[in-house]
Amino acid sequence: MAEQLTGLADDRALLGRTSTAERVSDILRSRIAEGYFPPGTRLSEDSIGGALGVSRNTLRESFRLLTHERLLVHELNRGVFVRVLTVEDVEDIYRTRSLVECAVVRGLGEPPYALDGLAEAVEDGRRSAREGDWKGVGTANIHFHRELVALAGSERTDELMRSVFAELRLAFHVVDDPRRLHEPYIARNAEILAALEDGGRETAERLLAVYLDDSLERVVEVYLRRVGDDG
């Protein structure tokens, strides 16, 4: 927890003098999405409030907002915890991803497209793989899909998927072999990028749909095995 709190203290400057529960929520959501707070982690009001320099009331409101987004859960007489997802949660996350991401690609219009963010995410994934940082590969993968959604140019869609991708990070935490999960998608991200660079919107959508189906199958397989082991 000490490492996570140090990171939060670095985020304190982002709050400025007009700190709000929404800004605290943004910081905590980002930290969850980046994997700083694994599922089941208890979030201490005193420690996190002290690291960010915000009042208890502000922090509680941010916890409430993130609970509404299904990233946190409040357990009576125990406190607030990062949510542990079920298999049904994972399936619903991927159902939402398929609906939104494929629709974004389908509706892109005529090329060329603004693909710098996608290209950067692909390179980040490759660099992390070379360094053996498979958690970093997972983060780059989430960034790739976030940039893909951003091609729609819709703040509402970005906001919707921001929470979905944060939940996805929670799902990744149960994976006992992150390399096996993430490595195949480095090349598959590059394939989608190449299709879009060539103006192949239909090809990119087809690749993406199969990609998401395969990823769901792999994550659910791990979930079922881990849940069985835990039981």
Side-chain angles (χ1 to χ4, degrees):
M1 187 56 131
E3 180 181 350
Q4 292 93 324
L5 293 176
T6 299
L8 282 181
D10 293 339
D11 288 332
R12 184 172 180 171
L14 299 176
L15 294 173
R17 294 185 177 181
T18 58
S19 61
T20 65
E22 288 80 8
R23 288 187 180 132
V24 173
S25 297
D26 287 344
I27 288 172
L28 294 179
R29 186 189 302 105
S30 295
R31 288 293 178 174
I32 290 170
E34 299 296 337
Y36 283 89
F37 297 112
T41 301
R42 181 179 180 275
L43 301 184
S44 165
E45 288 184 3
D46 291 340
S47 298
I48 293 177
L52 290 175
V54 297
S55 71
R56 180 166 294 187
N57 286 340
T58 295
L59 189 60
R60 286 178 177 174
E61 175 63 12
S62 71
F63 283 172
R64 186 190 68 78
L65 293 171
L66 294 176
T67 299
H68 181 69
E69 294 180 16
R70 297 178 298 278
L71 295 177
L72 304 179
V73 292
H74 180 268
E75 297 185 11
L76 190 62
N77 299 323
R78 294 194 64 220
V80 175
F81 296 80
V82 179
R83 190 157 175 252
V84 178
L85 302 184
T86 65
V87 170
E88 290 75 17
D89 290 325
V90 175
E91 291 173 339
D92 195 37
I93 287 169
Y94 274 88
R95 187 179 304 114
T96 302
R97 291 186 67 193
S98 293
L99 287 170
V100 174
E101 294 186 47
C102 290
V104 167
V105 174
R106 192 181 314 124
L108 280 179
E110 296 302 317
Y113 310 119
L115 302 175
D116 289 349
L118 288 177
E120 182 178 348
V122 167
E123 185 52 42
D124 286 345
R126 288 170 172 163
R127 181 171 55 252
S128 293
R130 289 194 298 268
E131 296 170 354
D133 177 10
W134 300 106
K135 177 181 173 182
V137 173
T139 297
N141 185 47
I142 290 176
H143 286 172
F144 177 87
H145 290 275
R146 193 167 62 198
E147 292 293 337
L148 185 69
V149 170
L151 293 176
S154 166
E155 291 184 6
R156 291 175 178 83
T157 305
D158 289 344
E159 184 176 351
L160 166 68
M161 295 305 292
R162 182 175 57 183
S163 295
V164 171
F165 289 138
E167 284 190 271
L168 182 63
R169 170 62 78 178
L170 298 184
F172 286 170
H173 273 290
V174 307
V175 176
D176 51 2
D177 186 355
R179 177 173 184 171
R180 180 173 178 269
L181 176 67
H182 298 307
E183 188 171 31
Y185 299 102
I186 300 172
R188 295 177 79 163
N189 287 345
E191 287 177 348
I192 292 171
L193 173 62
L196 291 174
E197 287 174 335
D198 291 340
R201 184 181 57 194
E202 293 182 0
T203 299
E205 183 186 355
R206 184 173 64 253
L207 290 170
L208 178 62
V210 175
Y211 174 129
L212 291 174
D213 285 344
D214 290 347
S215 182
L216 170 60
E217 181 178 353
R218 189 176 294 244
V219 174
V220 167
E221 174 192 348
V222 172
Y223 248 78
L224 291 174
R225 185 172 68 249
R226 293 296 296 273
V227 168
D229 291 344
D230 292 344

